[in-house]
Amino acid sequence: MIQTETIAAISTAPGVGGIAVIRVSGQKAISICDSLFIPNHEGRRLSLIKAQQAVYGTFANIDQVVATLYKSPYSFTGEDVVEISCHGSLYIQNVILQRLIEAGCRLADHGEFTMRAFLNGRIDLAEAEAVADLIGAKSAEAHRLALKQMQGALSTRLCELRDKLLELTSLLELELDFSDHDDVEFADRTRLTQLTKETEQEINRLMLSFDSGNAIRNGITIAIVGAPNAGKSTLLNRLVGDDCAIVSDIPGTTRDTIERSINYRGLLFRFIDTAGIHDTEDTIERLGIERSYKAINNARIIIALSENGDFSTVHLDGIPNISKIIFCHSKSDICTNCEDIAQTNVLKLSARTGYNIDSLMQRLYDLAEIDQTEDVIITTQRHYEALRLALEDIKKVGYSMSQNIPSDLIAEDLRSCLNHLGEITGGTITADETLQNIFSHFCIGK
């Protein structure tokens, strides 16, 4: 994929702000910007100054800006880059971008700056994907994981695995070159067997981390379920601190799912208020109940509410056995005969007064079972699938070793395992279509 065009885009979020940044990258970035930029002091033209310097001046006769220069290869993209910091007026941003396009730039595609950084060897593919995760991080823990991955934590771990496998693959293939000498054996079979087990264990560990990684990246989904008028909407409003759900004494007020999110102890919790589950002939209510069951099936944790302690009205028969459930006796402020919390596994709470809401959040946090101590955690389905295929290959190697299968077949499975691990960092990806699919989810300007 040869990059010859100079691209430009607004890199700050859409809307009005104090400052906006317009990024230009490519072989003609400096000359194009130089033709539109008038520095406030002589001798400070972009083509004359040193790299990594900022210059104040007028751009395209539209605004006073600060132009910052980065020269190849020491820039984010690995190309010549100019970043123009202008005032945040939408009019100013669009006029500057239009002047750049008229001068020879092309409007950048989604994620094109980051894709150029990958293609120019500035970052690998896992680090590139972490850029998007960092931008989209909605919690402290999601930010921490994305930053670690962008700094190369996952890539380093995979590189260590690949280096070990490469050494043994090379030794096995060297044996094949001397296959006419029956007494030649370069690879230590005991060492290879041990390494195979270690690799399988490490890939397994990374795959198991995907459950936590996916929850950290996308949020921990919690469905609030119960019979009509059990206090689900009141609880949602209390948890998120906003009157986002309509509350009334009329059963069946909520007819569709309502989702809101909060951050708690570094994690994103996504609460879904569901329609009351009950038998009904009302077509609209039935559609809402169907959506409730869909939310329940996708939830990591279920909050089951009952205002009288009878959880048979919650219709738990429709909840998957694998679901984690917190039973809550709601409306404790008006329920005088509720059992004491210490004597039951049912949490007594009041959404109206806030009683035991902190205890509920602590239970949710504990049930989420998120590992926040591990630096290397898989967060994307693409990485998980590549690891799954690599695991299948390394298991074949282990089986072949135990059955004394010929070295050429073992080497083939090792090469396949290496290729699948390489797909994560981009070492074996060459198809433009694959790269376009990955970077199409990025925002323009990044």
Side-chain angles (χ1 to χ4, degrees):
M1 187 183 294
I2 300 175
Q3 310 143 59
T4 57
E5 298 174 295
T6 297
I7 56 174
I10 299 170
S11 291
T12 40
V16 178
I19 296 292
V21 175
I22 298 168
R23 178 180 285 171
V24 186
S25 179
Q27 295 177 359
K28 298 181 180 179
I30 297 175
S31 60
I32 289 175
C33 291
D34 216 19
S35 68
L36 298 167
F37 179 72
I38 302 174
N40 275 20
H41 299 285
E42 291 187 12
R44 299 291 289 166
R45 298 188 64 83
L46 297 177
S47 56
L48 300 177
I49 66 172
K50 296 179 180 180
Q52 283 72 45
Q53 289 193 1
V55 185
Y56 184 64
T58 303
F59 201 93
N61 293 320
I62 186 66
D63 191 23
Q64 294 288 302
V65 307
V66 174
T68 308
L69 177 65
Y70 304 91
K71 290 186 178 180
S72 171
Y74 305 108
S75 70
F76 174 70
T77 62
E79 304 171 330
D80 288 342
V81 172
V82 178
E83 290 187 352
I84 304 160
S85 299
C86 62
H87 290 96
S89 157
L90 291 175
Y91 172 74
I92 291 173
Q93 295 178 54
N94 289 322
V95 170
I96 289 178
L97 185 59
Q98 185 60 41
R99 294 288 188 275
L100 287 167
I101 292 171
E102 291 171 356
C105 291
R106 171 177 63 76
L107 184 63
D109 293 327
H110 288 272
E112 189 168 0
F113 290 97
T114 309
M115 179 157 62
R116 290 191 176 200
F118 164 68
L119 293 172
N120 291 325
R122 296 293 291 169
I123 54 177
D124 66 31
L125 198 55
E127 293 165 349
E129 289 172 300
V131 172
D133 286 348
L134 191 66
I135 293 170
K138 296 179 181 179
S139 68
E141 190 60 18
H143 170 267
R144 185 185 74 85
L145 281 186
L147 188 60
K148 282 287 184 182
Q149 185 168 316
M150 194 173 74
Q151 292 171 340
L154 174 60
S155 302
T156 300
R157 185 72 58 86
L158 292 174
C159 185
E160 291 170 354
L161 272 177
R162 295 188 74 205
D163 285 347
K164 294 177 182 177
L165 293 176
L166 272 172
E167 180 183 355
L168 288 164
T169 302
S170 300
L171 291 173
L172 283 172
E173 292 183 346
L174 190 59
E175 282 187 7
L176 298 177
D177 292 338
F178 291 87
S179 57
D180 53 336
H181 295 74
D182 295 334
D183 58 340
V184 175
E185 185 177 278
F186 290 93
D188 182 347
R189 292 300 193 273
T190 303
R191 172 60 180 152
L192 178 54
T193 300
Q194 179 61 31
L195 184 61
T196 300
K197 291 179 181 178
E198 292 174 2
T199 304
E200 183 176 339
Q201 290 171 356
E202 178 62 14
I203 294 175
N204 256 321
R205 193 207 63 75
L206 287 171
M207 290 179 65
L208 288 172
S209 73
F210 178 64
D211 183 56
S212 290
N214 187 47
I216 291 171
R217 184 176 185 242
N218 298 311
I220 299 158
T221 307
I222 300 159
I224 306 173
V225 304
N229 210 30
K232 300 183 295 299
S233 297
T234 306
L235 178 59
L236 176 69
N237 291 344
R238 168 64 68 171
L239 288 168
V240 303
D242 185 22
D243 292 333
C244 57
I246 297 174
V247 176
S248 81
D249 294 329
I250 303 172
T253 299
T254 301
R255 296 195 169 199
D256 200 353
T257 56
I258 300 172
E259 180 176 332
R260 291 294 185 274
S261 301
I262 64 169
N263 274 280
Y264 179 75
R265 294 178 62 178
L267 298 174
L268 180 71
F269 288 83
R270 296 167 50 203
F271 294 97
I272 303 175
D273 177 22
T274 64
I277 299 175
H278 64 291
D279 295 327
T280 179
E281 296 299 322
D282 186 292
T283 302
I284 302 299
E285 276 193 308
R286 284 200 332 225
L287 287 173
I289 292 169
E290 287 176 9
R291 293 191 179 188
S292 295
Y293 277 118
K294 183 177 180 181
I296 289 168
N297 286 319
N298 293 330
R300 190 178 183 89
I301 305 172
I302 307 292
I303 298 176
L305 284 187
S306 171
E307 61 177 324
N308 58 15
D310 180 9
F311 289 94
S312 64
T313 60
V314 183
H315 293 273
L316 296 179
D317 53 320
I319 295 178
N321 293 329
I322 59 172
S323 295
K324 299 173 182 177
I325 305 175
I326 301 176
F327 295 95
C328 296
H329 200 153
S330 59
K331 304 183 182 180
S332 68
D333 55 305
I334 59 174
C335 179
T336 58
N337 62 343
C338 293
E339 296 182 52
D340 186 78
I341 184 175
Q343 300 173 346
T344 178
N345 64 343
V346 177
L347 180 62
K348 186 175 70 172
L349 55 80
S350 169
R352 187 177 69 83
T353 65
Y355 175 67
N356 263 341
I357 295 299
D358 289 342
S359 297
L360 174 61
M361 287 304 306
Q362 182 60 49
R363 288 199 184 186
L364 290 171
Y365 181 86
D366 293 340
L367 279 179
E369 295 183 324
I370 300 297
D371 183 1
Q372 293 178 272
T373 62
E374 180 58 61
D375 287 338
V376 182
I377 293 179
I378 299 300
T379 60
T380 68
Q381 188 68 39
R382 188 183 76 82
H383 297 174
Y384 180 85
E385 287 302 313
L387 286 169
R388 183 183 62 79
L389 294 172
L391 182 62
E392 290 179 3
D393 290 328
I394 204 65
K395 284 183 175 179
K396 290 178 184 177
V397 172
Y399 175 78
S400 298
M401 291 296 298
S402 67
Q403 300 297 314
N404 293 318
I405 300 295
S407 297
D408 56 341
L409 297 178
I410 298 176
E412 184 62 33
D413 288 330
L414 278 172
R415 281 194 296 269
S416 180
C417 181
L418 284 165
N419 286 337
H420 289 308
L421 292 176
E423 287 175 5
I424 297 175
T425 56
T428 60
I429 290 183
T430 56
D432 290 354
E433 186 176 333
T434 302
L435 293 177
Q436 291 290 353
N437 179 60
I438 291 171
F439 288 104
S440 65
H441 302 291
F442 281 55
C443 57
I444 293 176
K446 194 62 183 177

